[in-house]
Amino acid sequence: MAHRLPFHEGGCKNIHGHSYQMTVEVAGEPDMNGMVLDYFDLVSIVEPLVKEIDHAFLCDNSDKLVKDFLKSSSLKVVFVDFPTTAENIAHWFFERLAEYFMPVKNIRELRIIVSETERTTAEVSGEIRISSTDSKLFAHQSHQNT
Amino acid sequence: MAHRLPFHEGGCKNIHGHSYQMTVEVAGEPDMNGMVLDYFDLVSIVEPLVKEIDHAFLCDNSDKLVKDFLKSSSLKVVFVDFPTTAENIAHWFFERLAEYFMPVKNIRELRIIVSETERTTAEVSGEIRISSTDSKLFAHQSHQNT
Amino acid sequence: MAHRLPFHEGGCKNIHGHSYQMTVEVAGEPDMNGMVLDYFDLVSIVEPLVKEIDHAFLCDNSDKLVKDFLKSSSLKVVFVDFPTTAENIAHWFFERLAEYFMPVKNIRELRIIVSETERTTAEVSGEIRISSTDSKLFAHQSHQNT
């Protein structure tokens, strides 16, 4: 997936990409078979969302320069309403997946980990049934391996 | 270690196996030498439990088909009273190791992470001295790398 | 980095070393650009502290034997006031980095993970603005992959 951060004063303002990796964790009480969620069910929920953005340019709607170019091209693009930092991408998947998991009664928490590289990762986690006023409880994390 | 999930509608009902990996984390106040637990002591506690099940078939006692076969064979088998999902295996180790760590006063929490593959992991964590009524606090997690 | 643990009854009392790896995680609310902290800023804070101890002997001031030798040598050494376990090294970095992050208002939590090997890791995490009486909330963890 390609992106850029127009506000960035370093190299990230240029068009570039990453081989993103995402980890999806669901937490809750296991069912009578001893599973929180069947791995195959997890894959069937996550995979279509990943395919949507695979090999696309993830374009912030406020990025007029790239938006104008991509709208007039036939290149794969997904428009979003946020700067495409790893933190925001993780938050976006948290919100989309939380909707899917909401009806699954034994699932209580969700954690999305988005790695741009082996050394840079963002993470968003939280309860999936909290009121919007509690949304600050989400833990946003950046980390660095040294 | 080999297992099967008789209830599973996909491939997991067949006899198969994994090169399981387990991570054991203990949390608490370090002692006067600056250690929560000497790594060598941790190994000496965990290794015998791992050897018990290494290269064995982990057989749920309710799985009559395989149980009857294995009881009449000389093949290595360990019988347990739960479906052998990664979540349940992690919970089983949590309970067995919690007993070992209970007398170690500075150890407060335990986390067991059981990976069936690089992409599928279950995790059980919690305080080791909570009453049984609090056991719902255990966080059971499945995760997927994409 | 080299070290030894004079109190240790096993091999760790000898002078040895590790290719330590450290992970630094910061948690809090992302800023208006969707970042908890710019990765480049994180690197610019952490890297100088890592360079200080890179290829040095980390020597506990109470280790008279090695201290006397190193003080009279021209070999790189960093003296500290604690046994140089992975737990204590993580705690040391937690305290030094917490000071750097204190003025960054949106950063709330810090987690330092220090690995001596792929199988042995210590972790210290906590809020960076708690009073000293709350310091027991730090979670010290040792873990082992099996």
Side-chain angles (χ1 to χ4, degrees), chain A residues 81-114:
Chain A
D81 287 319
F82 52 80
T84 57
T85 59
E87 288 92 326
N88 280 348
I89 294 171
H91 201 172
W92 182 45
F93 268 88
F94 182 95
E95 294 196 327
R96 297 174 86 195
L97 288 171
E99 275 184 47
Y100 280 92
F101 293 128
M102 211 83 86
V104 188
K105 281 184 188 157
N106 65 317
I107 294 182
R108 201 178 58 233
E109 286 174 50
L110 178 61
R111 179 185 309 263
I112 309 291
I113 303 166
V114 170

Side-chain angles (χ1 to χ4, degrees), chain C residues 54-126:
Chain C
D54 185 36
H55 282 81
F57 190 99
L58 193 67
C59 182
D60 181 355
N61 271 315
S62 73
D63 181 3
K64 196 170 159 15
L65 179 70
V66 174
K67 187 179 179 181
D68 287 350
F69 163 68
L70 286 169
K71 281 183 81 167
S72 64
S73 81
S74 63
L75 303 175
K76 186 172 176 184
V77 58
V78 173
F79 293 105
V80 292
D81 286 318
F82 52 80
T84 57
T85 61
E87 288 92 324
N88 279 348
I89 294 170
H91 200 169
W92 183 44
F93 268 87
F94 182 94
E95 295 196 328
R96 296 173 87 195
L97 287 171
E99 275 183 47
Y100 280 92
F101 293 128
M102 211 84 85
V104 188
K105 280 185 189 159
N106 65 317
I107 295 182
R108 201 179 57 234
E109 286 174 51
L110 178 61
R111 179 184 309 264
I112 309 292
I113 303 167
V114 170
S115 299
E116 291 189 339
T117 70
E118 277 184 18
R119 295 164 67 98
T120 55
T121 293
E123 183 179 317
V124 173
S125 63

Side-chain angles (χ1 to χ4, degrees), chain A residues 119 144-146, chain C residues 1 19-24 42-56 58 76 78 89 92-93 96-97 100 112-114:
Chain A
R119 294 163 68 97
Q144 178 209 15
N145 281 303
T146 304
Chain C
M1 192 173 74
S19 292
Y20 287 93
Q21 287 207 307
M22 182 168 66
T23 300
V24 175
L42 183 55
V43 171
S44 72
I45 290 169
V46 174
E47 216 165 64
L49 301 187
V50 170
K51 276 196 180 146
E52 272 179 37
I53 57 172
D54 185 36
H55 282 81
L58 193 67
K76 186 172 176 184
V78 173
I89 294 170
W92 183 44
F93 268 87
R96 296 173 87 195
L97 287 171
Y100 280 92
I112 309 292
I113 303 167
V114 170

Side-chain angles (χ1 to χ4, degrees), chain A residues 1-38:
Chain A
M1 193 171 75
H3 81 146
R4 78 173 192 122
L5 301 176
F7 65 82
H8 201 263
E9 288 169 16
C12 302
K13 73 179 169 205
N14 298 302
I15 290 176
H16 65 286
H18 303 284
S19 293
Y20 286 95
Q21 285 207 310
M22 183 168 66
T23 299
V24 175
E25 289 184 6
V26 293
E29 283 300 299
D31 61 20
M32 56 173 288
N33 288 325
M35 286 182 165
V36 176
L37 183 69
D38 191 317

Side-chain angles (χ1 to χ4, degrees), chain B residues 95-142:
Chain B
E95 294 197 328
R96 296 173 88 194
L97 287 172
E99 276 184 47
Y100 280 92
F101 293 128
M102 211 82 86
V104 187
K105 282 184 188 158
N106 65 317
I107 294 182
R108 199 180 58 234
E109 287 175 49
L110 178 60
R111 179 184 309 264
I112 308 291
I113 303 167
V114 170
S115 299
E116 291 188 339
T117 70
E118 277 185 18
R119 294 163 67 97
T120 55
T121 293
E123 183 179 316
V124 174
S125 63
E127 304 272 334
I128 62 174
R129 288 180 197 81
I130 56 173
S131 69
S132 59
T133 52
D134 286 339
S135 66
K136 283 191 185 166
L137 291 173
F138 292 159
H140 296 263
Q141 299 187 314
S142 299

Side-chain angles (χ1 to χ4, degrees), chain B residues 4 10 41 49 61 64 74 84-85 124 128 130-131 137 144:
Chain B
R4 78 173 192 122
D41 293 337
L49 301 186
N61 272 313
K64 196 170 157 18
S74 63
T84 57
T85 60
V124 174
I128 62 174
I130 56 173
S131 69
L137 291 173
Q144 179 210 13

